[in-house]
Amino acid sequence: MNYQKLLPLFFVMTCLVILTACWDQRLLRDQSLILAIGYDKAENNALKKTVTFPKNTNAGSQNDEQNLSEQGSNTLSVIGNTVKNAENKMDESITEKFDRSKARVIIFGTDLAEEGIFSTLDSVYRDLRGPLHANVVIFNGEAEDALNIKSDQAAITSDLYGDLLESADKAGITKNKSVQHACPIILGEGKDLVLPYLSIDEPKDEVVVEGVALFHKDKMVGSLNIYQSTMFLLLSKQLAKYTSLNFEVNDKEKDPIKRFVDFKVQKNKRHIELNTDDEDIHAKIKMEIDIEIDEYAANHLSDEKKMNKLRRKIEHKLNELAEETITVTQEANSDVLGLGEMLKAYHYNVWEKINWEEVYPEMNIDVDFSVNIIRHGLLN
Amino acid sequence: MINKTEISAFQLVFLLIHVQIGVGIINLPYDIFLKANSDAWISILLSGMFIQLIILGYSFLIKRFPNYTIYDMHLTLLGKWIGSLIIIVYILFYIMSGSLVLANFVYYIKTWLMPRTPSWVLIGLMGLGAIFILKENLQIIARFLVLCSVFLIGFIVAAFYAFKFANITFILPVGSSGITAITKGIAPSFLSFQGFEMLLIFFPFVKASNRTIIKSASIANLFVTLFYTLLVLVSLLFFSKDELKLVPEPVLYLIKAFSFRIIERPDLLFTSMWIVLVATSFIVFVYGATLGVMTLTKTTRLNYVITILTVICFIIALNIKGVYNTSNASTLFHMYLIPIFIFFPLFLLVVSLIRRKKEVNNE
């Protein structure tokens, strides 16, 4: 290969080096990273956007350790017509440009969530740097208050929410949904969205998980409490790492602790039967779960008879809770289990004839749990 | 016959794969979905079979003229005037193909990667890279394409990873969109196979028997069909129906939705891989046009022809701006497809049968 042949290569290489990101560079020092965003309904159909970002403790100063201790977050609320409009207004009031691409959580106030969340999220889906992985959360109250909370648990507000959601997800109380995961469910037919539902515990001024918020299309229509939401996760086969349940099984026992049993769910199997033979559609959900007893102060699990009795009691309690949970979702008309989706996939001719939104709240859904105690810890 | 350089049947497979798989792969599922709904993947499979039939049809031409490119065939069979006219149509077709590849490339890069970088820089860089490779002979181009196939693996792996999030109920029940919808979906999927007809341009350069050539083309077609089916299927399973209507580039959007511990935005990585696939199809299109020009003008100055053609593509691509403009240009271009794919080759075959003309074997 002679020199002449190398010339174009040289030229291209030079171009590559010189031109890289000339126009599209975004320097960190010009941006202020937003880590949590809150949306609320404001007066006159406007939108209130609240953001929290780490305090700018003069980046690049020598004493990093001192910086760390002074860390905290600023919050800023702006009212605009749309999300982007509010964002532009924010830029007017702050020296740096806001960059939301690293946001961890997006919080909706209940008022806004009840009116629909999809149009607010539109700009996230449209933006090439939109924070698609941010978790969407509904807050009982105003998202602004949620972001203004001062907590000792985490230095930065966004971390507080991020960590809280993660631990709730692992404990099987809620299921985190990112902006991206929410989209197919909101837009799809025959399945409704469920998002974590948070609130502030007034006396202690701490953020707590209330359960999950139920949606119909993109509007919030109700909520499940913590027990119901755990049951919902079991029923929808989204078993978390440490799903545990607590039931009162011996109500005649004097010692209050002995009344309860606490167990972890190790494995769950689900079988759904949709019966469409006769006029009204009904569903039968058969659940098979393996559990491990964590705490049972009444003891005597070596006796098979007693063990079976306990097993039946747990089954009974589970069925009760499941029924309660499903009734709540039916009253809210939120098909969180995706039964409509199944009907559409496996009984398409039936699906075409009916209006699922009218059928779901009325239909019969039976749940039948069968429990298998596979371990009971170190004690009998 | 212009160049005596020869490529192997193995390289022909990759040549055909790379010219077909290009700029369109990121929006292919969307285009077909609009027509065929949740059965888009069936449309792709059907068009793959259809293309296979056409390839088998080509084998008759290949048998009759084992050493002629399709340009030579036109000149010999149809005479100087008509033959030249049709060759010009071919040249325009490939220039248009190349320009559309560049225009689409810039459009997607600007929406996905670099919104503020001016178009001429992006197209210019692509053009320069193409000229650099095109100056070499076919053998080196083919070797380059074989190397580039690594990037296809990236897409296949990503597609299989996406099955983790698949929701099977999105495509069930199979066939729910009906036969008419599936047939309508064949048209847009047919377009995505554009490039297989270049078999008729490249086969004389292949050092293999006619049977092997057809076999290689079939293997390439099989690969492309399965690759497309995979992409379409994964997009259908990942996005719900109404969501897919809103996402014109489902393949990139799907990858954007993933996040790994090390790579936070894998879509950037995949866009870079995709750029290589775009470059390969652009290169082969320009090469196809170049061979046409060289047959027509009997010139041997390859470098001039290549540079001029690339500059023409550059200028046309710069003038196709915005999403609506691009789709208008594409519709115009689509009208050429059927003549180039089927009509011209069929016409040649009929003429050669009537005139009982075969290649004069002067070796």
Side-chain angles (χ1 to χ4, degrees), chain A residues 5 8-9 11 15 19 23-25 102 125 127-130 132-133 180 183-184 187-188 341 344-346 348, chain B residues 111-118 121 128 132 167 169 172-173 238 240 242-243 253 256-259 264-265:
Chain A
K5 274 190 175 177
L9 176 71
F11 184 65
C15 281
L19 293 176
W23 288 271
D24 285 289
Q25 60 178 358
K102 296 280 177 284
Y125 293 117
D127 187 358
L128 77 157
R129 279 186 277 271
L132 279 186
H133 304 293
Q180 172 53 36
C183 190
L187 290 175
E341 208 175 71
K344 189 182 164 202
Y346 301 111
Y348 190 69
Chain B
T111 28
W112 278 89
L113 214 58
M114 297 179 268
R116 285 196 290 259
T117 307
V121 175
L128 279 176
F132 181 59
N167 184 344
T169 59
L172 286 175
F238 190 83
S240 71
D242 295 88
E243 187 185 13
Y253 210 91
K256 179 172 153 66
F258 303 154
S259 182
E264 198 185 76
R265 280 193 59 195

Side-chain angles (χ1 to χ4, degrees), chain B residues 48-69:
Chain B
M49 282 182 222
F50 200 46
I51 301 284
Q52 186 57 38
L53 287 181
I54 299 179
I55 290 175
L56 292 178
Y58 287 172
S59 69
F60 294 108
L61 269 183
I62 293 174
K63 223 177 269 169
R64 290 183 89 83
F65 303 96
N67 284 315
Y68 279 14
T69 66

Side-chain angles (χ1 to χ4, degrees), chain A residues 133-362:
Chain A
H133 304 293
N135 288 321
V136 190
V137 174
I138 308 299
F139 189 79
N140 190 359
E142 292 254 307
E144 192 186 359
D145 301 334
L147 290 175
N148 270 319
I149 193 169
K150 294 274 172 277
S151 171
D152 304 331
Q153 287 193 45
I156 306 174
T157 320
S158 57
D159 275 356
L160 173 73
Y161 284 99
D163 297 346
L164 184 72
L165 287 171
E166 207 168 297
S167 73
D169 186 271
K170 269 193 188 145
I173 302 169
T174 62
K175 187 80 198 164
N176 286 343
K177 280 269 185 287
S178 69
V179 181
Q180 172 53 36
H181 287 145
C183 190
I185 307 178
I186 292 176
L187 290 175
E189 307 177 280
K191 189 169 185 180
D192 285 313
L193 182 66
V194 166
L195 291 175
Y197 193 42
L198 307 180
S199 69
I200 290 184
D201 187 20
E202 281 300 339
K204 277 184 281 176
D205 214 19
E206 285 285 351
V207 184
V208 288
V209 180
E210 275 215 346
V212 294
L214 299 173
F215 280 76
H216 182 67
K217 304 271 180 220
D218 71 329
K219 293 180 179 59
M220 181 178 161
V221 285
S223 64
L224 296 177
N225 64 28
I226 289 187
Y227 300 106
Q228 291 164 343
S229 80
T230 307
M231 175 49 70
F232 152 69
L233 290 177
L234 275 183
L235 288 175
S236 59
K237 279 207 76 177
Q238 305 184 58
L239 189 63
K241 226 172 180 176
Y242 313 104
T243 306
S244 77
L245 281 161
N246 189 310
F247 286 124
E248 186 179 327
V249 282
N250 303 324
D251 38 7
K252 281 168 200 145
E253 202 59 62
K254 273 176 206 153
D255 183 354
I257 291 181
K258 283 190 178 175
R259 287 182 193 163
F260 291 93
V261 62
D262 196 284
F263 57 86
K264 267 200 212 96
V265 180
Q266 296 288 2
K267 212 177 171 185
N268 75 337
K269 269 191 209 162
R270 182 183 72 172
H271 180 75
I272 296 187
E273 231 176 78
L274 281 170
N275 200 335
T276 55
D277 293 342
D278 34 338
E279 280 300 289
D280 52 309
I281 300 160
H282 62 263
K284 232 183 197 167
I285 306 176
K286 273 189 189 152
M287 301 290 301
E288 241 176 83
I289 62 171
D290 289 354
I291 62 169
E292 178 183 351
I293 306 283
D294 271 344
E295 189 179 26
Y296 184 53
N299 286 337
H300 307 299
L301 283 176
S302 59
D303 188 353
E304 217 181 324
K305 255 188 195 166
K306 279 189 179 155
M307 175 116 131
N308 278 334
K309 215 172 151 193
L310 177 68
R311 194 170 59 94
R312 272 196 298 277
K313 273 180 184 162
I314 291 176
E315 278 173 4
H316 181 67
K317 289 279 177 187
L318 281 169
N319 287 341
E320 255 178 21
L321 182 59
E323 218 164 90
E324 185 189 317
T325 310
I326 283 175
T327 315
V328 175
T329 68
Q330 280 185 309
E331 274 165 9
N333 196 4
S334 173
D335 180 13
V336 290
L337 294 178
L339 292 175
E341 208 175 71
M342 292 180 82
L343 187 76
K344 189 182 164 202
Y346 301 111
H347 305 276
Y348 190 69
N349 38 4
V350 180
W351 167 263
E352 274 190 317
K353 269 183 267 169
I354 58 160
N355 182 359
W356 183 244
E357 287 182 27
E358 283 167 18
V359 172
Y360 180 71
E362 303 295 322

Side-chain angles (χ1 to χ4, degrees), chain B residues 4 10 12 17 27 29 45 77 135 155-156 206 290 292 310 314 341:
Chain B
K4 281 287 178 190
F10 178 73
L12 177 73
I17 287 176
N27 65 339
L45 280 177
L77 285 174
K135 282 164 88 107
F155 277 92
I156 295 173
V206 183
T290 310
T310 316
F314 175 83
F341 283 1

